[in-house]
């Protein structure tokens, strides 16, 4: 018994290793179809009885001959149930696909909004930095202008901090004076 079971196991291993290909000889192909169809119909009937399932099987040959099995009255009774189930499954997958697309759209929208905000923030930051630089430059120019005015006033007063020294034969300063002429005499 041991030798027989070993041989049977090795034969099964060889069967598993064989690749299934189309049978080229039409007569052999028809014989194989008939034998396998009977086995398949038997298995379908066993499944229906053992599991109390509605089983429908349709096989169509190359010549167009139809072979069918139904555990209920007719295969036509099973197909509407299959179609209903198939439509429910399709709708379920459509809903899942749409939910996935909506999630992707929300992610894209969020990324666009974040990018726009980042660009706006960076451009606003650049604008603010430019304004600050302009204010600093203006302040610096105002301070320099103030110093120059003080230097001019000091030069006009002769450095003593009091009234300007009047030059001989020069008219009194009435506030309207030409700086270039005075600087030229100094």
């Amino acid at each position: 018994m041991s030798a027989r079971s070993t041989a049977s196991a090795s034969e099964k291993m060889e069967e598993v290793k064989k690749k299934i290909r189309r049978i080229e000889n039409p007569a052999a192909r028809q014989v194989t179809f008939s034998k396998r169809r009977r086995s398949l119909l038997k298995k379908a009937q066993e499944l229906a009885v053992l599991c109390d399932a509605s089983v429908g099987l349709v096989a169509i040959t190359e010549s167009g001959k139809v072979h069918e099995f139904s555990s209920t009255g007719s295969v036509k009774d099973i197909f509407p149930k299959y179609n209903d189930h198939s439509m429910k499954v399709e709708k379920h997958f459509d809903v899942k696909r749409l939910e996935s697309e909506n999630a992707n759209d929300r992610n894209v929208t969020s990324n666009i909004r974040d990018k726009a905000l980042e660009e706006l923030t960076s451009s606003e930051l650049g604008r603010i930095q430019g304004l600050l630089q302009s204010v600093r430059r203006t302040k610096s120019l105002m301070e320099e202008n103030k110093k120059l005015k003080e230097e001019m006033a000091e030069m006009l007063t002769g450095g003593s901090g009091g009234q300007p020294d009047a030059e001989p034969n020069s008219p009194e300063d009435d506030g309207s004076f030409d700086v270039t002429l005075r600087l030229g005499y100094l």
Side-chain angles (χ1 to χ4, degrees):
M1 183 166 163
S2 172
R4 180 175 166 96
S5 64
T6 306
S8 176
S10 67
E11 287 176 10
K12 288 182 181 180
M13 292 292 285
E14 288 177 18
E15 287 179 25
V16 171
K17 291 181 184 179
K18 288 182 185 178
K19 289 190 175 183
I20 296 178
R21 284 182 257 162
R22 181 175 186 267
I23 299 171
E24 297 300 325
N25 183 343
R29 189 168 52 238
Q30 181 59 40
V31 169
T32 302
F33 175 79
S34 295
K35 288 181 181 178
R36 291 198 173 222
R37 177 179 53 94
R38 277 187 293 230
S39 298
L40 183 61
L41 293 173
K42 184 178 177 185
K43 290 292 182 183
Q45 183 180 17
E46 288 174 2
L47 180 65
V49 171
L50 290 173
C51 301
D52 193 28
S54 296
V55 178
L57 174 70
V58 176
I60 303 172
T61 63
E62 285 181 0
S63 62
K65 189 173 181 183
V66 178
H67 303 273
E68 64 179 57
F69 167 80
S70 175
S71 62
T72 62
S74 168
V75 175
K76 292 177 184 176
D77 297 336
I78 293 175
F79 282 139
K81 291 179 186 177
Y82 170 76
N83 285 337
D84 289 344
H85 175 73
S86 172
M87 289 180 128
K88 287 177 185 175
V89 168
E90 283 182 32
K91 286 180 182 177
H92 174 74
F93 283 118
D94 285 345
V95 167
K96 290 294 185 187
R97 182 181 50 81
L98 288 173
E99 286 174 352
S100 174
E101 287 176 3
N102 286 341
N104 288 341
D105 289 347
R106 282 192 300 270
N107 287 341
V108 167
T109 302
S110 176
N111 289 343
I112 290 171
R113 185 182 61 239
D114 292 347
K115 184 69 174 172
L117 184 60
E118 180 181 308
E119 287 177 7
L120 178 62
T121 304
S122 65
S123 67
E124 288 296 315
L125 182 61
R127 187 171 152 233
I128 290 170
Q129 287 174 341
L131 288 172
L132 283 173
Q133 188 175 15
S134 177
V135 167
R136 286 183 188 125
R137 195 171 358 160
T138 302
K139 183 179 177 185
S140 171
L141 288 173
M142 287 175 67
E143 288 174 358
E144 188 177 337
N145 192 18
K146 183 179 177 183
K147 285 181 185 178
L148 287 173
K149 283 182 181 180
E150 289 173 359
E151 287 178 15
M152 287 289 286
E154 189 176 316
M155 288 169 72
L156 291 174
T157 59
S160 62
Q163 292 292 327
D165 294 335
E167 292 181 7
N169 301 329
S170 70
E172 284 292 319
D173 189 10
D174 61 353
S176 60
F177 53 87
D178 186 4
V179 175
T180 55
L181 291 176
R182 291 195 184 249
L183 290 177
Y185 288 105
L186 294 176

